[in-house]
Amino acid sequence: MLTSSKPLSNQTLVSGIDVNDITHFLLELDALKRVNRRSYVTHTTRRENSAEHSWHLAMACWSIAEMFELDVDHEKLLKMALVHDLGEIDAGDTFLFASSRHAAHIEERAGIARLQAERGNGIANLAEIWEEQETGSSKETQLLRVVDRLLPFLLNLNTEGKTWAESEVKRSQVAAALAFIEGSFPTIHDWLTENIAYAVQQGWLIDS
Amino acid sequence: MLTSSKPLSNQTLVSGIDVNDITHFLLELDALKRVNRRSYVTHTTRRENSAEHSWHLAMACWSIAEMFELDVDHEKLLKMALVHDLGEIDAGDTFLFASSRHAAHIEERAGIARLQAERGNGIANLAEIWEEQETGSSKETQLLRVVDRLLPFLLNLNTEGKTWAESEVKRSQVAAALAFIEGSFPTIHDWLTENIAYAVQQGWLIDS
Protein backbone atom coordinates (compact mmCIF):
# COMPACT_ATOMS: atom_id res chain seq x y z
CA MET A 1 0.00 0.00 0.00
CA LEU A 2 1.47 3.33 -1.05
CA THR A 3 1.01 6.13 1.40
CA SER A 4 1.02 9.78 0.55
CA SER A 5 2.47 12.35 2.90
CA LYS A 6 0.73 15.13 0.98
CA PRO A 7 -2.98 15.70 1.71
CA LEU A 8 -5.30 15.43 -1.31
CA SER A 9 -7.27 18.50 -0.31
CA ASN A 10 -6.62 22.17 0.28
CA GLN A 11 -6.29 22.58 4.06
CA THR A 12 -7.91 26.04 4.17
CA LEU A 13 -11.04 24.77 2.44
CA VAL A 14 -11.13 21.70 4.68
CA SER A 15 -11.44 23.71 7.89
CA GLY A 16 -15.00 24.68 6.95
CA ILE A 17 -16.16 21.11 6.34
CA ASP A 18 -17.61 18.88 9.06
CA VAL A 19 -16.99 15.18 8.40
CA ASN A 20 -20.14 14.41 10.41
CA ASP A 21 -22.13 16.09 7.63
CA ILE A 22 -20.42 13.90 5.05
CA THR A 23 -21.12 10.69 6.93
CA HIS A 24 -24.72 11.84 7.44
CA PHE A 25 -25.16 12.06 3.66
CA LEU A 26 -23.42 8.73 3.06
CA LEU A 27 -25.87 7.08 5.48
CA GLU A 28 -28.78 8.72 3.63
CA LEU A 29 -27.48 7.07 0.45
CA ASP A 30 -27.25 3.71 2.25
CA ALA A 31 -31.06 3.68 2.24
CA LEU A 32 -31.16 2.83 -1.49
CA LYS A 33 -29.90 -0.65 -0.53
CA ARG A 34 -33.18 -1.11 1.37
CA VAL A 35 -35.40 -0.38 -1.65
CA ASN A 36 -36.40 -3.70 -3.19
CA ARG A 37 -37.37 -4.11 -6.82
CA ARG A 38 -39.55 -6.84 -8.34
CA SER A 39 -36.84 -8.82 -10.14
CA TYR A 40 -34.80 -11.55 -8.45
CA VAL A 41 -31.01 -11.73 -8.51
CA THR A 42 -30.02 -14.76 -10.63
CA HIS A 43 -29.20 -17.97 -8.70
CA THR A 44 -30.87 -16.59 -5.56
CA THR A 45 -34.37 -16.29 -4.11
CA ARG A 46 -33.66 -12.70 -3.15
CA ARG A 47 -35.18 -9.63 -4.80
CA GLU A 48 -32.76 -7.17 -6.32
CA ASN A 49 -32.39 -3.82 -4.57
CA SER A 50 -32.10 -0.46 -6.30
CA ALA A 51 -28.47 0.18 -5.24
CA GLU A 52 -27.06 -3.01 -6.77
CA HIS A 53 -29.32 -2.48 -9.81
CA SER A 54 -27.81 1.00 -10.24
CA TRP A 55 -24.32 -0.51 -10.20
CA HIS A 56 -25.38 -3.11 -12.78
CA LEU A 57 -26.92 -0.42 -14.97
CA ALA A 58 -23.76 1.71 -14.88
CA MET A 59 -21.58 -1.28 -15.83
CA ALA A 60 -23.98 -2.43 -18.56
CA CYS A 61 -24.30 1.03 -20.15
CA TRP A 62 -20.52 1.42 -20.14
CA SER A 63 -19.87 -1.99 -21.72
CA ILE A 64 -22.61 -1.61 -24.35
CA ALA A 65 -21.53 1.94 -25.21
CA GLU A 66 -18.01 0.71 -25.92
CA MET A 67 -19.04 -2.41 -27.80
CA PHE A 68 -21.33 -0.47 -30.15
CA GLU A 69 -18.83 2.42 -30.33
CA LEU A 70 -21.55 4.88 -29.31
CA ASP A 71 -20.74 8.57 -29.33
CA VAL A 72 -21.62 9.17 -25.68
CA ASP A 73 -19.92 10.97 -22.78
CA HIS A 74 -18.99 8.21 -20.32
CA GLU A 75 -18.84 10.48 -17.27
CA LYS A 76 -22.35 11.76 -17.95
CA LEU A 77 -23.64 8.27 -18.72
CA LEU A 78 -22.24 6.74 -15.52
CA LYS A 79 -23.44 9.61 -13.34
CA MET A 80 -26.96 9.32 -14.75
CA ALA A 81 -26.96 5.57 -14.11
CA LEU A 82 -25.71 6.02 -10.53
CA VAL A 83 -28.43 8.54 -9.60
CA HIS A 84 -31.34 7.34 -11.77
CA ASP A 85 -33.15 5.52 -8.92
CA LEU A 86 -32.17 7.79 -6.01
CA GLY A 87 -35.69 9.26 -5.92
CA GLU A 88 -36.87 5.83 -4.79
CA ILE A 89 -35.30 6.29 -1.34
CA ASP A 90 -38.38 8.36 -0.47
CA ALA A 91 -40.82 7.15 -3.15
CA GLY A 92 -40.10 3.41 -3.22
CA ASP A 93 -39.79 1.34 -6.39
CA THR A 94 -42.78 1.24 -8.74
CA PHE A 95 -43.25 -1.92 -10.84
CA LEU A 96 -43.08 -1.27 -14.59
CA PHE A 97 -46.60 -2.68 -14.96
CA ALA A 98 -48.18 -0.97 -11.94
CA SER A 99 -51.14 1.33 -12.58
CA SER A 100 -49.37 4.03 -10.53
CA ARG A 101 -46.32 3.92 -12.79
CA HIS A 102 -47.15 7.10 -14.73
CA ALA A 103 -47.26 9.17 -11.50
CA ALA A 104 -44.11 7.72 -9.88
CA HIS A 105 -41.91 10.53 -11.18
CA ILE A 106 -43.65 13.15 -8.99
CA GLU A 107 -42.66 11.60 -5.66
CA GLU A 108 -39.27 10.60 -7.03
CA ARG A 109 -38.53 14.19 -8.07
CA ALA A 110 -39.44 15.39 -4.56
CA GLY A 111 -37.10 12.76 -3.12
CA ILE A 112 -34.28 14.03 -5.30
CA ALA A 113 -34.89 17.62 -4.19
CA ARG A 114 -34.72 16.46 -0.56
CA LEU A 115 -31.39 14.66 -1.15
CA GLN A 116 -29.98 17.59 -3.11
CA ALA A 117 -30.54 19.83 -0.06
CA GLU A 118 -29.33 17.28 2.50
CA ARG A 119 -26.35 18.40 4.59
CA GLY A 120 -23.13 16.73 3.51
CA ASN A 121 -24.17 16.36 -0.14
CA GLY A 122 -21.25 17.50 -2.28
CA ILE A 123 -22.93 16.83 -5.65
CA ALA A 124 -23.99 20.29 -6.83
CA ASN A 125 -25.82 19.11 -9.97
CA LEU A 126 -27.52 16.01 -8.54
CA ALA A 127 -31.06 17.16 -9.39
CA GLU A 128 -29.98 18.35 -12.83
CA ILE A 129 -28.42 14.98 -13.72
CA TRP A 130 -31.46 13.13 -12.39
CA GLU A 131 -33.77 15.38 -14.43
CA GLU A 132 -31.82 14.70 -17.60
CA GLN A 133 -32.10 10.92 -17.26
CA GLU A 134 -35.80 11.35 -16.43
CA THR A 135 -36.97 13.81 -19.09
CA GLY A 136 -34.01 14.43 -21.43
CA SER A 137 -33.40 13.14 -24.94
CA SER A 138 -29.59 13.02 -25.18
CA LYS A 139 -27.90 9.89 -26.52
CA GLU A 140 -26.82 9.07 -22.97
CA THR A 141 -30.44 9.26 -21.77
CA GLN A 142 -31.68 7.13 -24.67
CA LEU A 143 -29.08 4.44 -24.02
CA LEU A 144 -29.84 4.45 -20.29
CA ARG A 145 -33.55 3.91 -20.96
CA VAL A 146 -32.89 0.94 -23.21
CA VAL A 147 -30.53 -0.75 -20.75
CA ASP A 148 -32.79 0.03 -17.77
CA ARG A 149 -35.47 -2.07 -19.52
CA LEU A 150 -33.08 -4.74 -20.78
CA LEU A 151 -31.68 -5.61 -17.33
CA PRO A 152 -34.89 -6.53 -15.46
CA PHE A 153 -36.09 -8.40 -18.57
CA LEU A 154 -32.84 -10.37 -18.53
CA LEU A 155 -33.12 -11.15 -14.81
CA ASN A 156 -36.76 -12.23 -15.17
CA LEU A 157 -35.85 -14.43 -18.14
CA ASN A 158 -33.08 -16.08 -16.11
CA THR A 159 -35.14 -16.69 -12.96
CA GLU A 160 -37.80 -18.74 -14.75
CA GLY A 161 -40.08 -15.75 -15.22
CA LYS A 162 -40.93 -15.71 -11.51
CA THR A 163 -41.52 -11.95 -11.38
CA TRP A 164 -43.83 -12.02 -14.40
CA ALA A 165 -45.76 -15.03 -13.15
CA GLU A 166 -46.23 -13.51 -9.68
CA SER A 167 -47.99 -10.51 -11.21
CA GLU A 168 -49.68 -12.35 -14.09
CA VAL A 169 -47.99 -10.15 -16.67
CA LYS A 170 -49.15 -10.42 -20.29
CA ARG A 171 -47.05 -10.63 -23.44
CA SER A 172 -48.73 -7.47 -24.76
CA GLN A 173 -47.79 -5.47 -21.64
CA VAL A 174 -44.12 -6.37 -21.99
CA ALA A 175 -44.12 -5.73 -25.74
CA ALA A 176 -45.71 -2.30 -25.22
CA ALA A 177 -43.22 -1.32 -22.51
CA LEU A 178 -40.30 -2.26 -24.76
CA ALA A 179 -41.69 -0.92 -28.05
CA PHE A 180 -39.74 2.35 -27.89
CA ILE A 181 -36.49 0.39 -28.18
CA GLU A 182 -37.27 -0.48 -31.81
CA GLY A 183 -36.34 3.07 -32.79
CA SER A 184 -33.23 3.68 -30.69
CA PHE A 185 -31.74 0.18 -30.53
CA PRO A 186 -33.31 -2.17 -33.12
CA THR A 187 -30.80 -4.98 -32.58
CA ILE A 188 -31.65 -5.15 -28.87
CA HIS A 189 -35.36 -4.84 -29.70
CA ASP A 190 -35.09 -7.87 -32.02
CA TRP A 191 -33.47 -9.88 -29.22
CA LEU A 192 -36.20 -8.83 -26.77
CA THR A 193 -38.95 -9.77 -29.24
CA GLU A 194 -37.47 -13.25 -29.70
CA ASN A 195 -37.21 -13.73 -25.97
CA ILE A 196 -40.74 -12.50 -25.26
CA ALA A 197 -41.87 -15.32 -27.55
CA TYR A 198 -39.67 -17.75 -25.61
CA ALA A 199 -41.11 -16.56 -22.26
CA VAL A 200 -44.65 -17.07 -23.58
CA GLN A 201 -43.71 -20.54 -24.80
CA GLN A 202 -42.39 -21.37 -21.31
CA GLY A 203 -45.64 -20.19 -19.73
CA TRP A 204 -43.93 -17.31 -17.88
CA LEU A 205 -45.89 -14.59 -19.69
CA ILE A 206 -49.62 -14.83 -20.39
CA ASP A 207 -50.25 -15.13 -24.13
CA SER A 208 -52.55 -12.19 -24.57
CA MET B 1 -41.35 8.98 -22.95
CA LEU B 2 -39.54 10.35 -25.99
CA THR B 3 -38.86 7.85 -28.73
CA SER B 4 -36.13 8.14 -31.29
CA SER B 5 -36.60 6.97 -34.83
CA LYS B 6 -32.85 7.09 -35.42
CA PRO B 7 -30.79 4.16 -34.09
CA LEU B 8 -28.02 5.08 -31.63
CA SER B 9 -25.53 2.76 -33.28
CA ASN B 10 -23.92 2.33 -36.68
CA GLN B 11 -25.88 -0.44 -38.41
CA THR B 12 -22.87 -1.89 -40.26
CA LEU B 13 -20.96 -2.37 -37.01
CA VAL B 14 -24.03 -3.85 -35.32
CA SER B 15 -24.33 -6.73 -37.78
CA GLY B 16 -21.20 -8.33 -36.30
CA ILE B 17 -22.46 -8.21 -32.70
CA ASP B 18 -24.49 -11.00 -31.11
CA VAL B 19 -26.80 -9.70 -28.37
CA ASN B 20 -26.58 -13.14 -26.73
CA ASP B 21 -22.91 -12.42 -26.03
CA ILE B 22 -23.85 -9.12 -24.40
CA THR B 23 -26.47 -10.68 -22.16
CA HIS B 24 -24.00 -13.44 -21.28
CA PHE B 25 -21.58 -10.81 -19.96
CA LEU B 26 -24.32 -8.92 -18.12
CA LEU B 27 -25.27 -12.14 -16.32
CA GLU B 28 -21.60 -12.70 -15.41
CA LEU B 29 -21.65 -9.26 -13.77
CA ASP B 30 -24.85 -10.16 -11.90
CA ALA B 31 -22.71 -12.54 -9.82
CA LEU B 32 -21.17 -9.63 -7.87
CA LYS B 33 -24.58 -9.23 -6.17
CA ARG B 34 -24.04 -12.70 -4.69
CA VAL B 35 -20.70 -11.82 -3.04
CA ASN B 36 -21.38 -10.91 0.57
CA ARG B 37 -19.13 -8.67 2.62
CA ARG B 38 -18.79 -8.57 6.41
CA SER B 39 -20.59 -5.29 7.09
CA TYR B 40 -24.35 -5.03 7.54
CA VAL B 41 -26.58 -2.60 5.65
CA THR B 42 -27.88 -0.03 8.17
CA HIS B 43 -31.40 -0.68 9.57
CA THR B 44 -31.28 -4.29 8.36
CA THR B 45 -29.90 -7.64 9.53
CA ARG B 46 -28.57 -8.32 6.05
CA ARG B 47 -24.91 -8.29 5.05
CA GLU B 48 -23.92 -5.85 2.35
CA ASN B 49 -22.98 -7.33 -1.03
CA SER B 50 -20.11 -6.15 -3.21
CA ALA B 51 -22.33 -4.77 -6.02
CA GLU B 52 -24.29 -2.37 -3.80
CA HIS B 53 -21.05 -1.48 -1.98
CA SER B 54 -19.49 -0.57 -5.35
CA TRP B 55 -22.43 1.73 -6.08
CA HIS B 56 -22.07 3.34 -2.64
CA LEU B 57 -18.33 3.79 -3.15
CA ALA B 58 -18.84 5.47 -6.54
CA MET B 59 -21.42 7.88 -5.09
CA ALA B 60 -19.32 8.62 -2.00
CA CYS B 61 -16.12 9.29 -3.98
CA TRP B 62 -18.01 11.60 -6.32
CA SER B 63 -19.66 13.58 -3.50
CA ILE B 64 -16.46 13.86 -1.45
CA ALA B 65 -14.38 14.84 -4.50
CA GLU B 66 -16.76 17.72 -5.21
CA MET B 67 -17.12 18.84 -1.61
CA PHE B 68 -13.34 19.04 -1.11
CA GLU B 69 -12.85 20.44 -4.64
CA LEU B 70 -10.34 17.70 -5.40
CA ASP B 71 -8.48 17.84 -8.69
CA VAL B 72 -9.57 14.40 -9.90
CA ASP B 73 -10.97 13.03 -13.16
CA HIS B 74 -14.54 11.99 -12.33
CA GLU B 75 -14.85 9.50 -15.19
CA LYS B 76 -11.70 7.69 -14.08
CA LEU B 77 -12.73 7.84 -10.41
CA LEU B 78 -16.21 6.40 -11.04
CA LYS B 79 -14.92 3.67 -13.35
CA MET B 80 -12.35 2.60 -10.76
CA ALA B 81 -15.04 2.48 -8.06
CA LEU B 82 -17.39 0.44 -10.27
CA VAL B 83 -14.78 -2.24 -11.07
CA HIS B 84 -12.72 -2.26 -7.85
CA ASP B 85 -14.37 -5.40 -6.41
CA LEU B 86 -15.07 -7.28 -9.66
CA GLY B 87 -12.21 -9.69 -8.93
CA GLU B 88 -14.30 -10.96 -6.01
CA ILE B 89 -16.75 -12.69 -8.36
CA ASP B 90 -14.18 -15.49 -8.60
CA ALA B 91 -12.11 -14.83 -5.46
CA GLY B 92 -14.83 -13.95 -2.93
CA ASP B 93 -14.59 -11.08 -0.44
CA THR B 94 -11.69 -11.10 2.03
CA PHE B 95 -12.27 -9.45 5.42
CA LEU B 96 -9.94 -6.52 6.08
CA PHE B 97 -8.64 -8.29 9.19
CA ALA B 98 -8.31 -11.79 7.71
CA SER B 99 -4.86 -13.39 7.73
CA SER B 100 -5.28 -14.15 4.01
CA ARG B 101 -5.85 -10.47 3.20
CA HIS B 102 -2.34 -9.84 1.84
CA ALA B 103 -2.73 -12.60 -0.77
CA ALA B 104 -6.27 -11.74 -1.90
CA HIS B 105 -5.07 -9.67 -4.83
CA ILE B 106 -3.63 -12.70 -6.64
CA GLU B 107 -6.95 -14.50 -7.08
CA GLU B 108 -8.75 -11.21 -7.67
CA ARG B 109 -6.37 -10.31 -10.50
CA ALA B 110 -7.00 -13.72 -12.11
CA GLY B 111 -10.74 -13.11 -11.81
CA ILE B 112 -10.37 -9.78 -13.59
CA ALA B 113 -8.37 -11.40 -16.42
CA ARG B 114 -11.16 -13.97 -16.81
CA LEU B 115 -13.84 -11.26 -17.01
CA GLN B 116 -11.75 -9.16 -19.39
CA ALA B 117 -11.67 -12.10 -21.84
CA GLU B 118 -15.33 -13.06 -21.36
CA ARG B 119 -17.46 -12.93 -24.53
CA GLY B 120 -19.73 -9.91 -24.63
CA ASN B 121 -17.40 -7.70 -22.56
CA GLY B 122 -17.18 -4.34 -24.31
CA ILE B 123 -14.83 -2.71 -21.77
CA ALA B 124 -11.44 -2.81 -23.48
CA ASN B 125 -9.45 -1.42 -20.54
CA LEU B 126 -11.20 -3.26 -17.70
CA ALA B 127 -8.02 -4.93 -16.40
CA GLU B 128 -6.03 -1.72 -16.76
CA ILE B 129 -8.53 0.29 -14.70
CA TRP B 130 -8.70 -2.45 -12.06
CA GLU B 131 -4.88 -2.53 -11.89
CA GLU B 132 -4.71 1.20 -11.36
CA GLN B 133 -7.08 1.15 -8.40
CA GLU B 134 -5.16 -1.84 -7.00
CA THR B 135 -1.54 -0.76 -7.41
CA GLY B 136 -1.57 2.83 -8.70
CA SER B 137 -0.82 6.06 -6.87
CA SER B 138 -2.93 8.64 -8.75
CA LYS B 139 -5.12 11.05 -6.79
CA GLU B 140 -8.15 9.06 -7.91
CA THR B 141 -6.64 5.86 -6.50
CA GLN B 142 -5.71 7.54 -3.23
CA LEU B 143 -9.21 8.94 -2.75
CA LEU B 144 -10.78 5.58 -3.60
CA ARG B 145 -8.64 3.84 -0.95
CA VAL B 146 -9.68 6.30 1.74
CA VAL B 147 -13.39 6.04 0.96
CA ASP B 148 -13.23 2.24 0.57
CA ARG B 149 -12.09 2.14 4.23
CA LEU B 150 -14.43 4.88 5.43
CA LEU B 151 -17.62 3.18 4.20
CA PRO B 152 -17.39 -0.18 6.02
CA PHE B 153 -16.20 1.66 9.15
CA LEU B 154 -19.29 3.87 8.91
CA LEU B 155 -21.62 0.90 8.43
CA ASN B 156 -20.05 -0.99 11.35
CA LEU B 157 -20.33 2.10 13.55
CA ASN B 158 -24.03 2.43 12.66
CA THR B 159 -24.94 -1.22 13.19
CA GLU B 160 -23.76 -1.31 16.81
CA GLY B 161 -20.35 -2.67 15.88
CA LYS B 162 -21.85 -6.07 15.07
CA THR B 163 -19.24 -6.92 12.44
CA TRP B 164 -16.34 -6.03 14.74
CA ALA B 165 -17.81 -7.89 17.70
CA GLU B 166 -18.47 -11.03 15.62
CA SER B 167 -14.77 -11.25 14.74
CA GLU B 168 -13.41 -9.88 18.04
CA VAL B 169 -11.60 -7.07 16.28
CA LYS B 170 -9.17 -4.96 18.32
CA ARG B 171 -8.78 -1.20 18.39
CA SER B 172 -5.14 -1.54 17.29
CA GLN B 173 -6.12 -3.57 14.20
CA VAL B 174 -8.56 -0.92 13.04
CA ALA B 175 -6.14 1.91 13.79
CA ALA B 176 -3.38 0.18 11.82
CA ALA B 177 -5.64 -0.48 8.82
CA LEU B 178 -6.66 3.19 8.72
CA ALA B 179 -3.25 4.73 9.53
CA PHE B 180 -2.39 5.49 5.89
CA ILE B 181 -5.31 7.95 5.75
CA GLU B 182 -3.45 10.36 8.05
CA GLY B 183 -1.22 11.32 5.11
CA SER B 184 -3.74 11.58 2.28
CA PHE B 185 -6.85 12.75 4.13
CA PRO B 186 -6.03 14.02 7.65
CA THR B 187 -9.51 15.47 8.30
CA ILE B 188 -11.13 12.08 7.65
CA HIS B 189 -8.39 10.38 9.69
CA ASP B 190 -9.19 12.64 12.66
CA TRP B 191 -12.86 11.70 12.42
CA LEU B 192 -11.99 7.99 12.26
CA THR B 193 -9.70 8.27 15.29
CA GLU B 194 -12.45 9.91 17.35
CA ASN B 195 -14.91 7.24 16.34
CA ILE B 196 -12.53 4.37 17.05
CA ALA B 197 -12.42 5.71 20.61
CA TYR B 198 -16.23 5.83 20.65
CA ALA B 199 -16.48 2.23 19.40
CA VAL B 200 -14.08 1.08 22.13
CA GLN B 201 -16.13 2.97 24.72
CA GLN B 202 -19.27 1.19 23.49
CA GLY B 203 -17.54 -2.18 23.80
CA TRP B 204 -17.71 -2.85 20.05
CA LEU B 205 -13.93 -2.95 19.59
CA ILE B 206 -11.60 -4.72 22.01
CA ASP B 207 -9.41 -2.19 23.82
CA SER B 208 -6.02 -3.59 22.94
Side-chain angles (χ1 to χ4, degrees):
Chain A
M1 173 78 63
L2 289 167
T3 57
S4 164
S5 54
K6 192 167 169 290
L8 287 166
S9 55
N10 175 315
Q11 293 308 293
T12 313
L13 172 74
V14 163
S15 63
I17 298 175
D18 185 343
V19 179
N20 284 309
D21 287 344
I22 292 173
T23 57
H24 165 78
F25 184 66
L26 298 182
L27 289 170
E28 289 292 326
L29 294 180
D30 205 48
L32 195 64
K33 301 172 189 166
R34 300 192 296 267
V35 176
N36 281 344
R37 294 163 50 85
R38 291 297 184 98
S39 296
Y40 293 87
V41 174
T42 58
H43 303 290
T44 74
T45 55
R46 173 174 82 71
R47 286 190 197 270
E48 188 188 33
N49 69 64
S50 292
E52 62 195 341
H53 160 69
S54 298
W55 170 82
H56 205 184
L57 182 64
M59 290 297 302
C61 284
W62 173 13
S63 182
I64 290 171
E66 276 203 34
M67 177 158 288
F68 287 91
E69 300 177 16
L70 302 185
D71 178 25
V72 293
D73 177 329
H74 283 208
E75 178 181 330
K76 187 173 164 183
L77 181 65
L78 296 179
K79 286 182 169 180
M80 291 201 307
L82 290 169
V83 307
H84 86 294
D85 272 348
L86 269 181
E88 295 181 357
I89 289 177
D90 292 359
D93 178 61
T94 309
F95 192 36
L96 181 56
F97 306 110
S99 59
S100 58
R101 175 82 185 184
H102 69 285
H105 66 98
I106 299 170
E107 277 185 72
E108 289 172 17
R109 184 173 287 112
I112 292 293
R114 198 266 299 167
L115 281 172
Q116 172 79 71
E118 204 68 51
R119 69 185 165 94
N121 169 30
I123 305 174
N125 58 352
L126 176 63
E128 191 185 316
I129 293 173
W130 183 85
E131 200 60 46
E132 170 151 4
Q133 67 76 37
E134 188 68 16
T135 60
S137 57
S138 64
K139 285 187 180 179
E140 292 82 4
T141 301
Q142 289 185 55
L143 174 60
L144 195 83
R145 281 191 190 131
V146 171
V147 183
D148 196 28
R149 292 287 162 88
L150 173 62
L151 286 178
F153 183 95
L154 184 62
L155 294 192
N156 295 347
L157 196 69
N158 285 276
T159 49
E160 300 187 311
K162 197 171 166 184
T163 300
W164 290 320
E166 281 173 351
S167 296
E168 301 182 334
V169 177
K170 297 172 188 170
R171 173 182 45 73
S172 56
Q173 288 177 288
V174 177
L178 302 175
F180 76 95
I181 299 174
E182 191 168 7
S184 54
F185 227 129
T187 183
I188 289 182
H189 190 263
D190 290 348
W191 183 91
L192 290 163
T193 302
E194 269 175 46
N195 283 285
I196 289 173
Y198 176 78
V200 170
Q201 198 187 349
Q202 296 295 312
W204 301 336
L205 285 172
I206 296 171
D207 191 12
S208 97
Chain B
M1 173 78 64
L2 289 167
T3 57
S4 163
S5 54
K6 193 167 168 288
L8 287 166
S9 55
N10 175 316
Q11 293 308 293
T12 313
L13 172 74
V14 164
S15 63
I17 298 175
D18 185 342
V19 178
N20 284 308
D21 287 344
I22 292 172
T23 57
H24 165 79
F25 184 66
L26 299 182
L27 289 170
E28 289 292 324
L29 294 179
D30 205 49
L32 195 64
K33 302 171 189 167
R34 299 191 296 267
V35 176
N36 281 344
R37 294 163 50 84
R38 291 297 184 98
S39 296
Y40 293 87
V41 174
T42 57
H43 303 289
T44 75
T45 55
R46 174 174 81 72
R47 286 190 197 271
E48 188 188 33
N49 69 64
S50 293
E52 61 195 342
H53 160 69
S54 299
W55 170 82
H56 205 184
L57 181 64
M59 290 298 301
C61 285
W62 174 12
S63 182
I64 290 171
E66 276 203 35
M67 176 157 289
F68 287 91
E69 300 178 16
L70 302 184
D71 178 26
V72 293
D73 177 329
H74 283 207
E75 178 181 331
K76 188 173 164 182
L77 180 65
L78 296 178
K79 286 183 170 179
M80 290 201 308
L82 290 169
V83 307
H84 86 294
D85 271 348
L86 269 181
E88 296 181 357
I89 289 177
D90 292 358
D93 178 61
T94 309
F95 192 35
L96 182 56
F97 306 110
S99 59
S100 58
R101 176 82 186 186
H102 69 285
H105 66 98
I106 299 170
E107 276 186 72
E108 289 172 17
R109 183 172 287 112
I112 291 292
R114 198 267 299 168
L115 281 172
Q116 172 78 72
E118 204 68 50
R119 68 184 167 93
N121 169 30
I123 305 174
N125 58 352
L126 176 63
E128 192 185 317
I129 293 173
W130 183 86
E131 200 61 46
E132 170 151 5
Q133 67 76 36
E134 187 69 16
T135 59
S137 57
S138 64
K139 286 188 179 177
E140 292 81 4
T141 301
Q142 289 185 56
L143 174 61
L144 195 83
R145 282 192 189 130
V146 170
V147 183
D148 196 28
R149 292 286 162 88
L150 173 63
L151 286 178
F153 184 94
L154 184 62
L155 294 192
N156 296 347
L157 196 69
N158 284 276
T159 49
E160 301 187 311
K162 197 171 166 185
T163 300
W164 291 319
E166 282 173 351
S167 296
E168 301 182 334
V169 177
K170 298 172 188 169
R171 174 182 43 73
S172 56
Q173 289 177 287
V174 177
L178 302 175
F180 76 95
I181 299 174
E182 192 169 7
S184 54
F185 227 128
T187 183
I188 289 182
H189 190 263
D190 289 348
W191 182 91
L192 290 164
T193 302
E194 270 175 45
N195 283 285
I196 288 173
Y198 176 78
V200 170
Q201 198 187 349
Q202 296 295 312
W204 301 336
L205 284 172
I206 296 171
D207 190 11
S208 96

